[in-house]
Amino acid sequence: MRIHKKATLLVLLTSILYTAPAHAAVTPQNQVTGVFLDDRQLELEVQPLLINGTTLIPMRKLFEEQGAKISWNNDTKTVKATKGALVLTYQIGDLTANKNGQALSLTVPGQVVGGNTMMPLRFVSEALGSTVKWEANTRTVRIYSALNYDTTIRYGVNLRSSPNSSDQSGVQQMLSVGDKVHIVREVDALWLEVRTQDNKTGYISAKPKYSDYTSESLAEKQGSALLAYGEKYLGTPYEFGAATNQTSTFDCSSFVAHLLENVLSVDLPRASYNQAKEGKEVGINELRKGDLLFFSARGLDIGHVAMYAGNNQILHTYSKEQGVHYEALSEKWKKRFVTARRMF
């Protein structure tokens, strides 16, 4: 009898020792090595959990890193997140959340683990408008923020892995006319870092022929680039009717056409009076670097063109004595001013 009781006790103790803990479902099934938001790794207070294929990470980090403000009711264990007009309400443990009055289902509920409130990463991110990708080979999660794809490709352009057109091996794909991209940043006057709608990041030409993207900062960079290129020709002799296939001489219209074509791939007609029909008209008090100013000359309504250089200066050529040179936009020129055109 004593032997039987001891055996029974041993079985009970063994059963207790090897019974899975009550929260076994929240232990990681497979390790998640990292979570990235827009290619930046998030620093998490605790290791992410992977539960039945769903990754959970700390709630506050998940919401706030994606631009949502949260309020927390500790009594009801309810979180309310707001991002613009979006309002998401969720009670920990439920399999349903409310987004602007619409019920949304979760595959795995949020839960409190070791004092940390953990929420399903994909559910929250997609509710906030982000895109989520799981990279099985590296066991990383990548979140791509909701972006405005409001720049349209005007002309087929290569998406490159670096802002360098000389490296043909860096071409990732061709973006077609009508494709939409998000501008990540302006690299310089000639390159934009972009993200495509299928979440590829790369670089495209910032020249105006390739996309409809514009900004004051990019225009400033491009105007400065035009002038810097033009300064290479300071002192180059003036020749009326100079040939366009050479740079040993210029006249006023061949000079500005050469700058715009070689720096920004903007094609202009040969004669100044035809150039004055291109681009967008701007007032003389609205000028920015790179704008073209047209003046009467040689008995013509429009017979001369110059490039605005900022600070009431113009860059042009009309004189055999001076060649290409800077000059003040003086009253002499203002009296002959006809129109100004913006080409980019």
Side-chain angles (χ1 to χ4, degrees):
M1 179 65 71
R2 288 181 179 178
I3 293 174
H4 179 70
K5 287 182 177 179
K6 288 180 179 179
T8 301
L9 181 60
L10 180 61
V11 170
L12 289 173
L13 288 171
T14 302
S15 175
I16 291 170
L17 287 172
Y18 288 94
T19 297
H23 296 289
V26 301
T27 59
Q29 295 176 345
N30 292 291
Q31 186 180 23
V32 177
T33 59
V35 177
F36 291 79
L37 174 62
D38 296 329
D39 299 323
R40 173 176 59 86
Q41 186 167 11
L42 298 184
E43 296 181 4
L44 305 176
E45 309 91 88
V46 295
Q47 173 69 24
L49 302 178
L50 187 59
I51 304 171
N52 298 328
T54 298
T55 301
L56 288 81
I57 70 171
M59 174 185 71
R60 186 171 293 277
K61 175 76 69 173
L62 183 56
F63 279 107
E64 292 183 347
E65 287 285 350
Q66 296 183 76
K69 296 180 180 180
I70 65 171
S71 59
W72 171 251
N73 186 320
N74 195 53
D75 294 332
T76 62
K77 298 295 187 289
T78 300
V79 59
K80 180 180 180 181
T82 57
K83 183 179 180 181
L86 184 153
V87 179
L88 181 70
T89 306
Y90 175 72
Q91 186 172 28
I92 298 299
D94 285 354
L95 283 171
T96 304
N98 186 290
K99 176 182 174 181
N100 289 356
Q102 176 187 4
L104 301 179
S105 298
L106 290 74
T107 55
V108 173
Q111 43 207 277
V112 178
V113 182
N116 296 291
T117 304
M118 310 289 281
M119 288 286 291
L121 182 151
R122 180 179 294 275
F123 170 80
V124 170
S125 299
E126 292 182 348
L128 295 176
S130 300
T131 302
V132 179
K133 287 191 174 182
W134 166 249
E135 293 184 351
N137 58 331
T138 58
R139 306 206 66 77
T140 58
V141 182
R142 293 190 178 273
I143 307 170
Y144 297 98
S145 299
L147 302 173
N148 294 321
Y149 295 92
D150 50 8
T151 294
T152 303
I153 301 300
R154 287 174 167 167
Y155 190 91
V157 63
N158 287 323
L159 179 71
R160 297 177 177 275
S161 57
S162 64
N164 182 355
S165 60
S166 63
D167 182 11
Q168 291 303 314
S169 63
V171 177
Q172 300 183 47
Q173 69 180 79
M174 169 71 79
L175 300 181
S176 301
V177 175
D179 285 351
K180 297 283 189 177
V181 296
H182 168 75
I183 305 301
V184 177
R185 66 186 176 101
E186 299 166 2
V187 179
D188 53 30
L190 300 179
W191 291 98
L192 301 170
E193 184 178 3
V194 304
R195 176 166 290 148
T196 65
Q197 288 182 296
D198 56 355
N199 288 319
K200 291 182 180 178
T201 300
Y203 302 87
I204 66 169
S205 173
K207 294 178 180 180
K209 70 180 288 184
Y210 293 108
S211 78
D212 64 359
Y213 176 77
T214 60
S215 74
E216 290 185 7
S217 57
L218 181 62
E220 173 69 20
K221 293 182 180 80
Q222 292 180 335
S224 295
L226 282 168
L227 295 166
Y229 183 71
E231 287 178 1
K232 296 180 180 181
Y233 300 106
L234 288 175
T236 298
Y238 172 83
E239 180 188 7
F240 180 77
T244 58
N245 58 355
Q246 53 82 45
T247 58
S248 58
T249 62
F250 293 108
D251 65 13
C252 63
S253 55
S254 71
F255 176 62
V256 297
H258 178 75
L259 301 192
L260 282 160
E261 179 184 5
N262 283 271
V263 177
L264 297 180
S265 297
V266 174
D267 294 325
L268 290 180
R270 175 63 180 83
S272 59
Y273 52 82
N274 286 326
Q275 292 175 350
K277 301 173 186 176
E278 302 293 313
K280 173 187 175 184
E281 185 173 15
V282 292
I284 196 168
N285 296 320
E286 304 172 300
L287 297 174
R288 70 186 189 195
K289 292 179 183 178
D291 287 342
L292 299 186
L293 295 89
F294 296 89
F295 306 91
S296 60
R298 306 189 315 277
L300 300 173
D301 290 340
I302 292 178
H304 181 65
V305 58
M307 181 172 287
Y308 188 66
N311 298 319
N312 204 48
Q313 295 288 307
I314 53 178
L315 178 64
H316 62 164
T317 182
Y318 65 90
S319 163
K320 289 184 178 181
E321 291 75 24
Q322 293 178 290
V324 175
H325 66 283
Y326 281 109
E327 185 176 342
L329 180 58
S330 63
E331 286 303 316
K332 175 187 74 172
W333 289 107
K334 289 180 179 179
K335 288 178 181 179
R336 294 166 55 187
F337 173 76
V338 178
T339 186
R341 310 294 292 190
R342 181 161 294 164
M343 304 299 176
F344 61 94

